[in-house]
Amino acid sequence: MTSRFSIRALTLGALLLTVAAPSFAAPCGSGSFEAWLEDFKKEAAAKGISASAIQTGLTGVVMDKSVLARDQSQKVFTQSFEEFSGRMVPPRLARGANMLKQYGSVLGRIEQTYGVPGEVLVAIWGLETDYGVNIGKFPTIRALATLAYDCRRTDMFKAELMDALRIVERGDVAPQELRGAWAGEIGQTQFMPSSYIKFAVDFDGNGRRDLLRSPPDVLASTANFLAGHGWQKGKDWEPGSANFAVIKEWNKSEVYAKTIGHFATQLSRAP
């Protein structure tokens, strides 16, 4: 994955590094993963997830030790804004300007609907996955099940795993296609499943919320996330502004948020 993921993963770890008391029969991390997964299936059914979604989503899922290794070996991010933005923005600027033109009509409709400028959306898109090139290769359900079984943030990842099954259940993405970052982020702007459920929209009108393959869905869903967190239409996104605070809802890292804003400003000035 790209370096930006390390920042989000670090932020996630810093905010949520608590050991939650397990609420299922097989305690996290102590019994076998297989026994834990069987109890999780029962809990998912009790929460109303269909038997078919549980079967197709969880059959054959095993624990992924490489996910645990990544989770437990996160390092403190120490790059300054100047270092990070200087490394991330210039290589993505020309293509970002092209994306603004290529999706100009779609971005215009998105801004009318959600109030978020295309420059901000394209900046996030570029920083997250190089415009969909690097969405990650970890099977999402396996990664989330592994992290839910681990005792560090059990309840959070159990909830995310439930939402991943709901994505499967409503037909947005088949379970074998759900791949992304090691901590469960999905799609071209890296939504956690809970955000996918809450903010993903079908902007291309094909009946599915597809954040893996549909740029209109990706961009509109990202705008919906920002709008849902209070984006103010027509206002700037400079540090200290209300919209900068919304960008920090996307990623808590000050360096990352400032880089999004800087990138968007550069795109707004592109010829």
Side-chain angles (χ1 to χ4, degrees), residues 138-198:
F138 286 85
T140 299
I141 290 177
R142 185 173 75 189
L144 291 172
T146 297
L147 292 166
Y149 172 69
D150 187 50
C151 287
R152 298 180 72 205
R153 299 182 297 282
T154 300
D155 285 353
M156 188 198 93
F157 283 110
K158 276 180 62 183
E160 295 293 346
L161 181 55
M162 293 282 186
D163 281 334
L165 293 178
R166 293 183 178 105
I167 292 169
V168 171
E169 183 174 43
R170 70 186 189 182
D172 288 335
V173 185
Q176 65 270 20
E177 296 177 321
L178 275 176
R179 292 178 177 269
W182 63 261
E185 287 116 327
I186 306 165
Q188 296 190 26
T189 54
Q190 301 286 272
F191 274 43
M192 290 300 289
S194 56
S195 292
Y196 201 124
I197 290 292
K198 187 172 183 179

Side-chain angles (χ1 to χ4, degrees), residues 41-146:
K41 291 177 182 178
K42 295 173 185 175
E43 187 174 347
K47 290 183 179 293
I49 296 174
S50 69
S52 62
I54 294 169
Q55 180 176 356
T56 59
L58 295 176
T59 296
V61 169
V62 297
M63 187 172 69
D64 189 338
K65 292 183 179 180
S66 71
V67 168
L68 292 180
R70 285 176 179 256
D71 188 37
Q72 294 165 6
S73 65
Q74 296 178 54
K75 298 178 181 178
V76 175
F77 181 79
T78 58
Q79 290 186 61
S80 68
F81 163 69
E82 289 76 16
E83 291 169 333
F84 183 70
S85 63
R87 181 168 61 84
M88 298 295 287
V89 173
R92 293 166 175 80
L93 189 55
R95 189 166 183 218
N98 288 335
M99 290 298 188
L100 277 176
K101 295 173 184 176
Q102 181 177 346
Y103 293 99
S105 176
V106 170
L107 289 166
R109 290 191 292 115
I110 290 173
E111 185 168 5
Q112 287 181 345
T113 304
Y114 300 104
V116 182
E119 292 87 351
V120 173
L121 302 175
V122 170
I124 291 172
W125 192 18
L127 289 173
E128 293 290 352
T129 64
D130 284 337
Y131 312 105
V133 173
N134 299 313
I135 65 171
K137 298 180 180 179
F138 286 85
T140 299
I141 290 177
R142 185 173 75 189
L144 291 172
T146 297

